[in-house]
């Protein structure tokens, strides 16, 4: 696989781990940890139920904020596809305002979401779509950072969006306070937090880390105009303990200590750069780029 920057085409320099690379020009970061979706051994590391409960509160709250932003920009509603819809929380929230389809590649997760009666299809984007199926809004919630071939996916987004349609990306930020701290810890030999944020050894590790600036540049180079961007809160108190414990690797005392530290620091952390960014970009030219 080529090791050039998807944003500025520069050669990626070695990063702070053997699997980590970074662009010295635009600060884009890449990991070459391979995805292992549907590999049962990685699935055993995570208790899916705990993971679901732990993440739910903050995710649903952020989804509602994001939907508020999208609805203002697309007040007439229309067709929306949520790529990698997981448990269907965004699908459920968006159904009030849009004609929604969810796509989910993981069989276990897909089955549980379909069992709730939500409009979900199993597979990858865009292969799971019908031949001429197009949308007014394409959403990736915590998904784009997992996809190695981001160029092909952005091409597919452009092709599958109607004229003036919106691409919405919600993803972790390399400018976030937790990510920056994890880099500092990694440099002094404490790898755990950095590896955790990249989701090393989990079913689908991260491949990319962007910040608002290089993400906007990436989209501009592919015939999208960024019309809105912002941040979303990284942490909420409810579900925090479950979230800390869901990989099953930490001891109880460590979990409690991490929980107490974060809970105490939460009001201050909220003033620091968030670890979650979003961009809404409009398709600006027809056809392929
Ligand atoms: Zn670059």
């Amino acid at each position: 696989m080529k090791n050039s920057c998807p944003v500025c085409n520069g050669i990626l320099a070695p990063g702070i781990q053997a699997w980590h690379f970074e662009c010295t020009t635009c600060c884009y970061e890449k990991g070459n940890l391979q995805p292992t979706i549907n590999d049962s051994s990685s699935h055993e590391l995570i208790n899916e139920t705990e993971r679901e409960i732990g993440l739910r509160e903050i995710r649903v709250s952020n989804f509602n904020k994001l939907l508020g932003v999208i609805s203002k920009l697309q007040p007439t509603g229309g067709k929306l596809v949520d790529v990698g819809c997981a448990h269907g929380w965004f699908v459920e929230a968006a159904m009030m305002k849009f004609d929604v389809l969810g796509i989910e590649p993981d069989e276990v997760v897909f089955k549980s979401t379909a069992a709730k009666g939500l409009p979900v299809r199993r597979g990858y984007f865009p292969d799971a779509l019908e031949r001429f199926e197009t949308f007014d809004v394409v959403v990736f919630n915590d998904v784009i950072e997992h996809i190695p071939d981001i160029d092909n996916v952005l091409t597919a987004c452009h092709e599958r969006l109607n004229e003036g349609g919106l691409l919405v990306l919600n993803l972790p930020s390399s400018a976030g306070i937790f990510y920056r701290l994890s880099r500092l810890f990694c440099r002094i030999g404490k790898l755990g937090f950095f590896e955790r944020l990249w989701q090393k050894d989990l079913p689908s590790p991260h491949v990319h880390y962007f910040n608002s600036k290089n993400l906007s540049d990436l989209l501009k180079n592919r015939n999208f105009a960024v019309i809105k961007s912002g941040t979303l809160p990284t942490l909420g108190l409810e579900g925090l303990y479950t979230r800390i414990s869901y990989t099953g690797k930490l001891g109880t005392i460590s979990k409690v200590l991490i929980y107490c530290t974060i809970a105490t620091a939460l009001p201050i952390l909220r003033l620091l750069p968030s670890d979650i960014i979003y961009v809404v970009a409009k398709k600006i030219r027809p056809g392929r780029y």
Side-chain angles (χ1 to χ4, degrees):
M1 196 156 74
K2 65 173 185 171
N3 217 19
S4 57
C5 174
V7 180
C8 71
N9 246 336
I11 303 291
L12 295 178
I16 56 176
Q17 285 291 289
W19 48 265
H20 176 248
F21 301 87
E22 48 198 339
C23 177
T24 51
T25 309
C26 74
C27 300
Y28 160 80
E29 295 179 40
K30 177 185 162 182
N32 68 0
L33 303 159
Q34 291 308 303
T36 53
I37 255 185
N38 287 344
D39 173 343
S40 57
S41 65
S42 333
H43 262 290
E44 283 164 15
L45 279 172
I46 304 176
N47 179 324
E48 279 293 340
T49 316
E50 281 207 359
R51 185 180 173 179
E52 182 163 355
I53 296 163
L55 288 171
R56 182 166 191 137
E57 189 231 12
I58 188 74
R59 285 271 171 91
V60 169
S61 158
N62 284 347
F63 286 163
N64 283 320
K65 284 178 188 148
L66 196 55
L67 261 174
V69 172
I70 301 168
S71 303
K72 268 191 194 157
L73 297 167
Q74 186 75 27
T76 51
K79 282 180 74 183
L80 180 151
V81 61
D82 182 21
V83 181
C85 67
H87 307 288
W89 302 335
F90 186 83
V91 168
E92 260 180 314
M95 279 166 78
M96 319 270 189
K97 290 182 174 155
F98 292 91
D99 174 12
V100 183
L101 171 70
I103 298 178
E104 174 52 46
D106 186 295
E107 188 168 11
V108 176
V109 179
F110 161 77
K111 279 185 178 162
S112 96
T113 306
K116 294 180 205 164
L118 295 173
V120 57
R121 220 178 273 169
R122 191 187 164 201
Y124 288 91
F125 176 86
D127 301 345
L129 300 179
E130 284 161 27
R131 204 166 157 211
F132 296 109
E133 203 169 12
T134 58
F135 298 87
D136 301 296
V137 185
V138 177
V139 181
F140 292 78
N141 283 308
D142 284 306
V143 168
I144 202 81
E145 71 275 19
H146 295 272
I147 300 176
D149 196 346
I150 199 164
D151 263 329
N152 266 341
V153 166
L154 290 178
T155 306
C157 289
H158 203 272
E159 286 171 354
R160 296 300 188 145
L161 274 169
N162 296 328
E163 290 314 307
L166 301 179
L167 171 63
V168 181
L169 306 178
N170 160 17
L171 71 168
S173 164
S174 61
I177 186 66
F178 286 111
Y179 187 71
R180 289 194 201 176
L181 281 175
S182 82
R183 281 189 61 120
L184 275 178
F185 284 130
C186 187
R187 283 182 190 279
I188 57 165
K190 306 273 182 207
L191 314 183
F193 192 18
F194 189 67
E195 291 182 344
R196 171 79 179 75
L197 289 184
W198 279 91
Q199 302 196 355
K200 185 174 183 284
D201 301 328
L202 289 181
S204 179
H206 291 171
V207 185
H208 316 280
Y209 255 93
F210 294 97
N211 58 34
S212 287
K213 169 76 172 71
N214 58 27
L215 182 61
S216 297
D217 290 344
L218 177 83
L219 294 171
K220 276 180 209 159
N221 294 339
R222 284 155 182 82
N223 290 328
F224 288 99
V226 173
I227 54 172
K228 178 92 185 152
S229 64
T231 62
L232 295 166
T234 316
L235 290 169
L237 210 48
E238 266 179 59
L240 178 61
Y241 186 80
T242 319
R243 197 171 162 194
I244 290 165
S245 56
Y246 84 72
T247 58
K249 276 184 177 173
L250 295 164
T252 307
I253 293 174
S254 304
K255 289 177 195 171
V256 171
L257 277 176
I258 294 172
Y259 175 83
C260 291
T261 310
I262 296 176
T264 311
L266 210 53
I268 300 161
L269 289 172
R270 289 207 165 133
L271 302 173
L272 298 168
S274 175
D275 279 66
I276 306 176
I277 48 170
Y278 70 85
V279 298
V280 182
K282 193 174 229 174
K283 169 175 170 165
I284 52 171
R285 247 166 275 168
R288 294 179 72 95
Y289 60 78

mmCIF file of all heavy atoms in Angstrom, residues 210-252:
data_model
loop_
_atom_site.group_PDB
_atom_site.id
_atom_site.type_symbol
_atom_site.label_atom_id
_atom_site.label_comp_id
_atom_site.label_asym_id
_atom_site.label_seq_id
_atom_site.Cartn_x
_atom_site.Cartn_y
_atom_site.Cartn_z
ATOM 1 N N PHE A 210 -7.263 12.728 11.665
ATOM 2 C CA PHE A 210 -7.282 14.049 11.027
ATOM 3 C C PHE A 210 -7.516 15.115 12.092
ATOM 4 O O PHE A 210 -7.976 14.828 13.197
ATOM 5 C CB PHE A 210 -8.440 14.148 10.030
ATOM 6 C CG PHE A 210 -8.333 13.238 8.838
ATOM 7 C CD1 PHE A 210 -8.984 12.010 8.825
ATOM 8 C CD2 PHE A 210 -7.594 13.613 7.725
ATOM 9 C CE1 PHE A 210 -8.897 11.169 7.720
ATOM 10 C CE2 PHE A 210 -7.504 12.787 6.611
ATOM 11 C CZ PHE A 210 -8.157 11.559 6.613
ATOM 12 N N ASN A 211 -7.244 16.383 11.732
ATOM 13 C CA ASN A 211 -7.770 17.515 12.495
ATOM 14 C C ASN A 211 -8.710 18.281 11.554
ATOM 15 O O ASN A 211 -8.830 17.922 10.368
ATOM 16 C CB ASN A 211 -6.630 18.391 13.051
ATOM 17 C CG ASN A 211 -5.720 18.932 11.965
ATOM 18 O OD1 ASN A 211 -6.175 19.220 10.854
ATOM 19 N ND2 ASN A 211 -4.440 19.066 12.255
ATOM 20 N N SER A 212 -9.367 19.320 12.055
ATOM 21 C CA SER A 212 -10.372 20.026 11.230
ATOM 22 C C SER A 212 -9.758 20.568 9.941
ATOM 23 O O SER A 212 -10.367 20.514 8.880
ATOM 24 C CB SER A 212 -10.942 21.210 12.000
ATOM 25 O OG SER A 212 -11.786 20.737 12.987
ATOM 26 N N LYS A 213 -8.530 21.095 10.044
ATOM 27 C CA LYS A 213 -7.901 21.754 8.902
ATOM 28 C C LYS A 213 -7.555 20.745 7.799
ATOM 29 O O LYS A 213 -7.940 20.919 6.646
ATOM 30 C CB LYS A 213 -6.627 22.479 9.403
ATOM 31 C CG LYS A 213 -5.702 23.003 8.336
ATOM 32 C CD LYS A 213 -6.264 24.272 7.697
ATOM 33 C CE LYS A 213 -5.284 24.952 6.753
ATOM 34 N NZ LYS A 213 -5.049 24.224 5.510
ATOM 35 N N ASN A 214 -6.817 19.669 8.149
ATOM 36 C CA ASN A 214 -6.432 18.752 7.067
ATOM 37 C C ASN A 214 -7.624 17.940 6.549
ATOM 38 O O ASN A 214 -7.652 17.549 5.371
ATOM 39 C CB ASN A 214 -5.199 17.895 7.429
ATOM 40 C CG ASN A 214 -5.366 17.051 8.673
ATOM 41 O OD1 ASN A 214 -6.474 16.673 9.021
ATOM 42 N ND2 ASN A 214 -4.253 16.749 9.339
ATOM 43 N N LEU A 215 -8.636 17.749 7.392
ATOM 44 C CA LEU A 215 -9.843 17.069 6.914
ATOM 45 C C LEU A 215 -10.585 17.947 5.895
ATOM 46 O O LEU A 215 -11.040 17.467 4.853
ATOM 47 C CB LEU A 215 -10.759 16.725 8.097
ATOM 48 C CG LEU A 215 -12.028 15.975 7.756
ATOM 49 C CD1 LEU A 215 -11.723 14.630 7.108
ATOM 50 C CD2 LEU A 215 -12.888 15.755 9.003
ATOM 51 N N SER A 216 -10.680 19.246 6.192
ATOM 52 C CA SER A 216 -11.333 20.167 5.247
ATOM 53 C C SER A 216 -10.563 20.213 3.934
ATOM 54 O O SER A 216 -11.163 20.223 2.849
ATOM 55 C CB SER A 216 -11.406 21.574 5.838
ATOM 56 O OG SER A 216 -12.197 21.553 6.983
ATOM 57 N N ASP A 217 -9.217 20.231 4.010
ATOM 58 C CA ASP A 217 -8.399 20.239 2.796
ATOM 59 C C ASP A 217 -8.616 18.970 1.976
ATOM 60 O O ASP A 217 -8.714 19.015 0.751
ATOM 61 C CB ASP A 217 -6.909 20.383 3.147
ATOM 62 C CG ASP A 217 -6.588 21.772 3.683
ATOM 63 O OD1 ASP A 217 -7.421 22.688 3.490
ATOM 64 O OD2 ASP A 217 -5.520 21.937 4.304
ATOM 65 N N LEU A 218 -8.687 17.833 2.671
ATOM 66 C CA LEU A 218 -8.934 16.556 1.983
ATOM 67 C C LEU A 218 -10.224 16.627 1.169
ATOM 68 O O LEU A 218 -10.278 16.210 0.011
ATOM 69 C CB LEU A 218 -9.031 15.427 3.024
ATOM 70 C CG LEU A 218 -9.361 14.036 2.496
ATOM 71 C CD1 LEU A 218 -8.106 13.342 1.991
ATOM 72 C CD2 LEU A 218 -10.011 13.168 3.567
ATOM 73 N N LEU A 219 -11.270 17.183 1.783
ATOM 74 C CA LEU A 219 -12.582 17.242 1.124
ATOM 75 C C LEU A 219 -12.587 18.266 -0.025
ATOM 76 O O LEU A 219 -13.171 18.011 -1.080
ATOM 77 C CB LEU A 219 -13.665 17.561 2.152
ATOM 78 C CG LEU A 219 -13.866 16.453 3.204
ATOM 79 C CD1 LEU A 219 -14.785 16.929 4.307
ATOM 80 C CD2 LEU A 219 -14.420 15.194 2.563
ATOM 81 N N LYS A 220 -11.917 19.416 0.201
ATOM 82 C CA LYS A 220 -11.863 20.447 -0.849
ATOM 83 C C LYS A 220 -11.213 19.901 -2.117
ATOM 84 O O LYS A 220 -11.636 20.209 -3.221
ATOM 85 C CB LYS A 220 -11.030 21.639 -0.362
ATOM 86 C CG LYS A 220 -11.802 22.623 0.477
ATOM 87 C CD LYS A 220 -10.895 23.765 0.920
ATOM 88 C CE LYS A 220 -11.383 24.332 2.244
ATOM 89 N NZ LYS A 220 -10.332 25.061 2.969
ATOM 90 N N ASN A 221 -10.179 19.072 -1.934
ATOM 91 C CA ASN A 221 -9.481 18.491 -3.087
ATOM 92 C C ASN A 221 -10.310 17.456 -3.822
ATOM 93 O O ASN A 221 -9.898 16.942 -4.848
ATOM 94 C CB ASN A 221 -8.170 17.827 -2.633
ATOM 95 C CG ASN A 221 -7.189 18.844 -2.104
ATOM 96 O OD1 ASN A 221 -7.304 20.028 -2.410
ATOM 97 N ND2 ASN A 221 -6.235 18.395 -1.293
ATOM 98 N N ARG A 222 -11.449 17.095 -3.259
ATOM 99 C CA ARG A 222 -12.290 16.069 -3.883
ATOM 100 C C ARG A 222 -13.687 16.585 -4.195
ATOM 101 O O ARG A 222 -14.666 15.853 -4.140
ATOM 102 C CB ARG A 222 -12.340 14.840 -2.973
ATOM 103 C CG ARG A 222 -11.042 14.058 -3.076
ATOM 104 C CD ARG A 222 -10.754 13.235 -1.858
ATOM 105 N NE ARG A 222 -9.469 12.554 -2.011
ATOM 106 C CZ ARG A 222 -8.304 13.144 -1.765
ATOM 107 N NH1 ARG A 222 -8.251 14.396 -1.374
ATOM 108 N NH2 ARG A 222 -7.180 12.468 -1.924
ATOM 109 N N ASN A 223 -13.760 17.867 -4.518
ATOM 110 C CA ASN A 223 -15.007 18.492 -4.962
ATOM 111 C C ASN A 223 -16.127 18.509 -3.931
ATOM 112 O O ASN A 223 -17.309 18.317 -4.237
ATOM 113 C CB ASN A 223 -15.510 17.858 -6.265
ATOM 114 C CG ASN A 223 -14.611 18.239 -7.415
ATOM 115 O OD1 ASN A 223 -14.039 19.332 -7.428
ATOM 116 N ND2 ASN A 223 -14.465 17.342 -8.370
ATOM 117 N N PHE A 224 -15.719 18.739 -2.698
ATOM 118 C CA PHE A 224 -16.686 19.031 -1.649
ATOM 119 C C PHE A 224 -16.324 20.393 -1.053
ATOM 120 O O PHE A 224 -15.144 20.717 -0.925
ATOM 121 C CB PHE A 224 -16.604 17.989 -0.525
ATOM 122 C CG PHE A 224 -17.159 16.643 -0.896
ATOM 123 C CD1 PHE A 224 -16.314 15.611 -1.295
ATOM 124 C CD2 PHE A 224 -18.524 16.405 -0.858
ATOM 125 C CE1 PHE A 224 -16.818 14.359 -1.638
ATOM 126 C CE2 PHE A 224 -19.036 15.167 -1.191
ATOM 127 C CZ PHE A 224 -18.185 14.136 -1.582
ATOM 128 N N ALA A 225 -17.337 21.187 -0.713
ATOM 129 C CA ALA A 225 -17.092 22.453 -0.018
ATOM 130 C C ALA A 225 -17.557 22.295 1.419
ATOM 131 O O ALA A 225 -18.727 21.964 1.668
ATOM 132 C CB ALA A 225 -17.866 23.570 -0.690
ATOM 133 N N VAL A 226 -16.651 22.492 2.367
ATOM 134 C CA VAL A 226 -17.022 22.371 3.781
ATOM 135 C C VAL A 226 -17.880 23.577 4.151
ATOM 136 O O VAL A 226 -17.444 24.724 4.017
ATOM 137 C CB VAL A 226 -15.770 22.283 4.670
ATOM 138 C CG1 VAL A 226 -16.152 22.324 6.148
ATOM 139 C CG2 VAL A 226 -14.998 21.007 4.360
ATOM 140 N N ILE A 227 -19.124 23.343 4.563
ATOM 141 C CA ILE A 227 -20.008 24.463 4.878
ATOM 142 C C ILE A 227 -20.230 24.628 6.379
ATOM 143 O O ILE A 227 -20.748 25.630 6.833
ATOM 144 C CB ILE A 227 -21.370 24.346 4.145
ATOM 145 C CG1 ILE A 227 -22.037 23.009 4.425
ATOM 146 C CG2 ILE A 227 -21.194 24.553 2.647
ATOM 147 C CD1 ILE A 227 -23.457 22.929 3.882
ATOM 148 N N LYS A 228 -19.814 23.608 7.142
ATOM 149 C CA LYS A 228 -19.980 23.713 8.597
ATOM 150 C C LYS A 228 -19.033 22.720 9.254
ATOM 151 O O LYS A 228 -18.864 21.605 8.767
ATOM 152 C CB LYS A 228 -21.439 23.365 8.941
ATOM 153 C CG LYS A 228 -21.781 23.369 10.388
ATOM 154 C CD LYS A 228 -22.309 24.707 10.872
ATOM 155 C CE LYS A 228 -22.517 24.678 12.377
ATOM 156 N NZ LYS A 228 -22.385 25.971 13.003
ATOM 157 N N SER A 229 -18.397 23.134 10.337
ATOM 158 C CA SER A 229 -17.592 22.185 11.100
ATOM 159 C C SER A 229 -17.637 22.579 12.570
ATOM 160 O O SER A 229 -17.994 23.707 12.910
ATOM 161 C CB SER A 229 -16.146 22.145 10.592
ATOM 162 O OG SER A 229 -15.541 23.404 10.801
ATOM 163 N N GLY A 230 -17.299 21.660 13.439
ATOM 164 C CA GLY A 230 -17.354 21.945 14.869
ATOM 165 C C GLY A 230 -16.860 20.770 15.674
ATOM 166 O O GLY A 230 -16.297 19.818 15.126
ATOM 167 N N THR A 231 -17.077 20.852 16.993
ATOM 168 C CA THR A 231 -16.658 19.762 17.873
ATOM 169 C C THR A 231 -17.865 19.246 18.654
ATOM 170 O O THR A 231 -18.878 19.937 18.782
ATOM 171 C CB THR A 231 -15.593 20.235 18.888
ATOM 172 O OG1 THR A 231 -16.166 21.262 19.712
ATOM 173 C CG2 THR A 231 -14.363 20.789 18.187
ATOM 174 N N LEU A 232 -17.740 18.031 19.168
ATOM 175 C CA LEU A 232 -18.772 17.420 20.013
ATOM 176 C C LEU A 232 -18.099 16.937 21.293
ATOM 177 O O LEU A 232 -16.911 16.588 21.265
ATOM 178 C CB LEU A 232 -19.413 16.232 19.279
ATOM 179 C CG LEU A 232 -20.204 16.574 18.008
ATOM 180 C CD1 LEU A 232 -20.487 15.317 17.188
ATOM 181 C CD2 LEU A 232 -21.515 17.277 18.359
ATOM 182 N N PRO A 233 -18.815 16.912 22.424
ATOM 183 C CA PRO A 233 -18.182 16.477 23.676
ATOM 184 C C PRO A 233 -17.680 15.035 23.598
ATOM 185 O O PRO A 233 -18.335 14.185 22.988
ATOM 186 C CB PRO A 233 -19.302 16.584 24.708
ATOM 187 C CG PRO A 233 -20.382 17.369 24.083
ATOM 188 C CD PRO A 233 -20.222 17.288 22.608
ATOM 189 N N THR A 234 -16.520 14.778 24.195
ATOM 190 C CA THR A 234 -15.928 13.440 24.175
ATOM 191 C C THR A 234 -16.516 12.541 25.254
ATOM 192 O O THR A 234 -16.683 11.340 25.059
ATOM 193 C CB THR A 234 -14.405 13.541 24.434
ATOM 194 O OG1 THR A 234 -13.883 14.616 23.662
ATOM 195 C CG2 THR A 234 -13.703 12.257 24.070
ATOM 196 N N LEU A 235 -16.804 13.136 26.401
ATOM 197 C CA LEU A 235 -17.188 12.321 27.555
ATOM 198 C C LEU A 235 -18.418 12.851 28.266
ATOM 199 O O LEU A 235 -18.603 14.058 28.381
ATOM 200 C CB LEU A 235 -16.062 12.320 28.593
ATOM 201 C CG LEU A 235 -14.778 11.583 28.257
ATOM 202 C CD1 LEU A 235 -13.723 11.935 29.280
ATOM 203 C CD2 LEU A 235 -15.011 10.086 28.246
ATOM 204 N N GLY A 236 -19.236 11.919 28.761
ATOM 205 C CA GLY A 236 -20.308 12.260 29.680
ATOM 206 C C GLY A 236 -20.148 11.350 30.881
ATOM 207 O O GLY A 236 -19.470 10.324 30.793
ATOM 208 N N LEU A 237 -20.764 11.679 31.993
ATOM 209 C CA LEU A 237 -20.552 10.908 33.207
ATOM 210 C C LEU A 237 -21.259 9.554 33.174
ATOM 211 O O LEU A 237 -20.681 8.534 33.533
ATOM 212 C CB LEU A 237 -21.035 11.734 34.402
ATOM 213 C CG LEU A 237 -20.316 11.489 35.721
ATOM 214 C CD1 LEU A 237 -18.803 11.514 35.561
ATOM 215 C CD2 LEU A 237 -20.748 12.554 36.726
ATOM 216 N N GLU A 238 -22.505 9.552 32.713
ATOM 217 C CA GLU A 238 -23.249 8.291 32.668
ATOM 218 C C GLU A 238 -22.607 7.363 31.645
ATOM 219 O O GLU A 238 -22.280 7.778 30.536
ATOM 220 C CB GLU A 238 -24.696 8.546 32.249
ATOM 221 C CG GLU A 238 -25.635 8.709 33.416
ATOM 222 C CD GLU A 238 -27.037 8.979 32.940
ATOM 223 O OE1 GLU A 238 -27.566 8.134 32.207
ATOM 224 O OE2 GLU A 238 -27.571 10.047 33.279
ATOM 225 N N GLY A 239 -22.441 6.122 31.987
ATOM 226 C CA GLY A 239 -21.858 5.164 31.051
ATOM 227 C C GLY A 239 -20.346 5.213 31.022
ATOM 228 O O GLY A 239 -19.713 4.426 30.326
ATOM 229 N N LEU A 240 -19.747 6.151 31.757
ATOM 230 C CA LEU A 240 -18.291 6.323 31.700
ATOM 231 C C LEU A 240 -17.560 5.097 32.242
ATOM 232 O O LEU A 240 -16.613 4.614 31.633
ATOM 233 C CB LEU A 240 -17.885 7.580 32.488
ATOM 234 C CG LEU A 240 -16.388 7.882 32.565
ATOM 235 C CD1 LEU A 240 -15.808 8.102 31.177
ATOM 236 C CD2 LEU A 240 -16.126 9.120 33.430
ATOM 237 N N TYR A 241 -18.030 4.565 33.393
ATOM 238 C CA TYR A 241 -17.339 3.417 33.988
ATOM 239 C C TYR A 241 -17.382 2.205 33.056
ATOM 240 O O TYR A 241 -16.378 1.540 32.821
ATOM 241 C CB TYR A 241 -17.930 3.073 35.355
ATOM 242 C CG TYR A 241 -17.143 1.984 36.035
ATOM 243 C CD1 TYR A 241 -15.949 2.287 36.691
ATOM 244 C CD2 TYR A 241 -17.552 0.652 35.979
ATOM 245 C CE1 TYR A 241 -15.182 1.293 37.282
ATOM 246 C CE2 TYR A 241 -16.798 -0.355 36.570
ATOM 247 C CZ TYR A 241 -15.621 -0.027 37.221
ATOM 248 O OH TYR A 241 -14.868 -1.020 37.793
ATOM 249 N N THR A 242 -18.561 1.964 32.509
ATOM 250 C CA THR A 242 -18.708 0.833 31.587
ATOM 251 C C THR A 242 -17.799 1.018 30.380
ATOM 252 O O THR A 242 -17.182 0.078 29.888
ATOM 253 C CB THR A 242 -20.176 0.735 31.104
ATOM 254 O OG1 THR A 242 -21.020 0.998 32.211
ATOM 255 C CG2 THR A 242 -20.469 -0.604 30.512
ATOM 256 N N ARG A 243 -17.721 2.271 29.940
ATOM 257 C CA ARG A 243 -16.899 2.575 28.779
ATOM 258 C C ARG A 243 -15.413 2.318 29.076
ATOM 259 O O ARG A 243 -14.698 1.777 28.244
ATOM 260 C CB ARG A 243 -17.133 4.035 28.396
ATOM 261 C CG ARG A 243 -16.657 4.339 26.997
ATOM 262 C CD ARG A 243 -17.114 5.729 26.607
ATOM 263 N NE ARG A 243 -16.351 6.196 25.488
ATOM 264 C CZ ARG A 243 -16.331 7.449 25.088
ATOM 265 N NH1 ARG A 243 -17.028 8.364 25.724
ATOM 266 N NH2 ARG A 243 -15.619 7.800 24.058
ATOM 267 N N ILE A 244 -14.979 2.699 30.268
ATOM 268 C CA ILE A 244 -13.577 2.466 30.662
ATOM 269 C C ILE A 244 -13.290 0.965 30.719
ATOM 270 O O ILE A 244 -12.234 0.500 30.317
ATOM 271 C CB ILE A 244 -13.279 3.118 32.041
ATOM 272 C CG1 ILE A 244 -13.278 4.646 31.925
ATOM 273 C CG2 ILE A 244 -11.933 2.653 32.589
ATOM 274 C CD1 ILE A 244 -13.363 5.371 33.252
ATOM 275 N N SER A 245 -14.267 0.192 31.152
ATOM 276 C CA SER A 245 -13.998 -1.228 31.403
ATOM 277 C C SER A 245 -14.263 -2.140 30.206
ATOM 278 O O SER A 245 -13.947 -3.312 30.268
ATOM 279 C CB SER A 245 -14.807 -1.706 32.604
ATOM 280 O OG SER A 245 -16.159 -1.463 32.406
ATOM 281 N N TYR A 246 -14.801 -1.603 29.095
ATOM 282 C CA TYR A 246 -15.318 -2.553 28.115
ATOM 283 C C TYR A 246 -14.280 -3.368 27.355
ATOM 284 O O TYR A 246 -14.615 -4.372 26.761
ATOM 285 C CB TYR A 246 -16.359 -1.915 27.184
ATOM 286 C CG TYR A 246 -15.847 -1.154 25.996
ATOM 287 C CD1 TYR A 246 -15.281 -1.809 24.912
ATOM 288 C CD2 TYR A 246 -16.005 0.224 25.916
ATOM 289 C CE1 TYR A 246 -14.836 -1.107 23.816
ATOM 290 C CE2 TYR A 246 -15.562 0.933 24.835
ATOM 291 C CZ TYR A 246 -14.973 0.259 23.785
ATOM 292 O OH TYR A 246 -14.552 0.954 22.704
ATOM 293 N N THR A 247 -13.030 -2.999 27.365
ATOM 294 C CA THR A 247 -12.055 -3.872 26.695
ATOM 295 C C THR A 247 -11.639 -5.047 27.573
ATOM 296 O O THR A 247 -11.036 -5.988 27.099
ATOM 297 C CB THR A 247 -10.766 -3.121 26.280
ATOM 298 O OG1 THR A 247 -10.193 -2.557 27.445
ATOM 299 C CG2 THR A 247 -11.040 -2.055 25.255
ATOM 300 N N GLY A 248 -11.976 -4.990 28.868
ATOM 301 C CA GLY A 248 -11.736 -6.129 29.742
ATOM 302 C C GLY A 248 -10.284 -6.349 30.139
ATOM 303 O O GLY A 248 -9.950 -7.359 30.734
ATOM 304 N N LYS A 249 -9.395 -5.418 29.815
ATOM 305 C CA LYS A 249 -7.967 -5.632 30.096
ATOM 306 C C LYS A 249 -7.522 -5.023 31.437
ATOM 307 O O LYS A 249 -6.510 -5.417 31.982
ATOM 308 C CB LYS A 249 -7.118 -4.995 28.993
ATOM 309 C CG LYS A 249 -6.938 -5.880 27.757
ATOM 310 C CD LYS A 249 -6.010 -5.173 26.787
ATOM 311 C CE LYS A 249 -5.727 -6.007 25.557
ATOM 312 N NZ LYS A 249 -4.964 -5.228 24.578
ATOM 313 N N LEU A 250 -8.266 -4.038 31.945
ATOM 314 C CA LEU A 250 -7.829 -3.316 33.142
ATOM 315 C C LEU A 250 -8.330 -3.984 34.419
ATOM 316 O O LEU A 250 -9.393 -4.596 34.434
ATOM 317 C CB LEU A 250 -8.382 -1.881 33.110
ATOM 318 C CG LEU A 250 -7.878 -0.971 31.994
ATOM 319 C CD1 LEU A 250 -8.798 0.238 31.858
ATOM 320 C CD2 LEU A 250 -6.466 -0.504 32.258
ATOM 321 N N GLY A 251 -7.561 -3.844 35.510
ATOM 322 C CA GLY A 251 -8.002 -4.336 36.813
ATOM 323 C C GLY A 251 -9.015 -3.381 37.418
ATOM 324 O O GLY A 251 -9.116 -2.224 36.996
ATOM 325 N N THR A 252 -9.777 -3.847 38.431
ATOM 326 C CA THR A 252 -10.845 -3.026 39.013
ATOM 327 C C THR A 252 -10.309 -1.719 39.602
ATOM 328 O O THR A 252 -10.901 -0.652 39.410
ATOM 329 C CB THR A 252 -11.595 -3.810 40.106
ATOM 330 O OG1 THR A 252 -12.013 -5.033 39.535
ATOM 331 C CG2 THR A 252 -12.809 -3.050 40.613
#
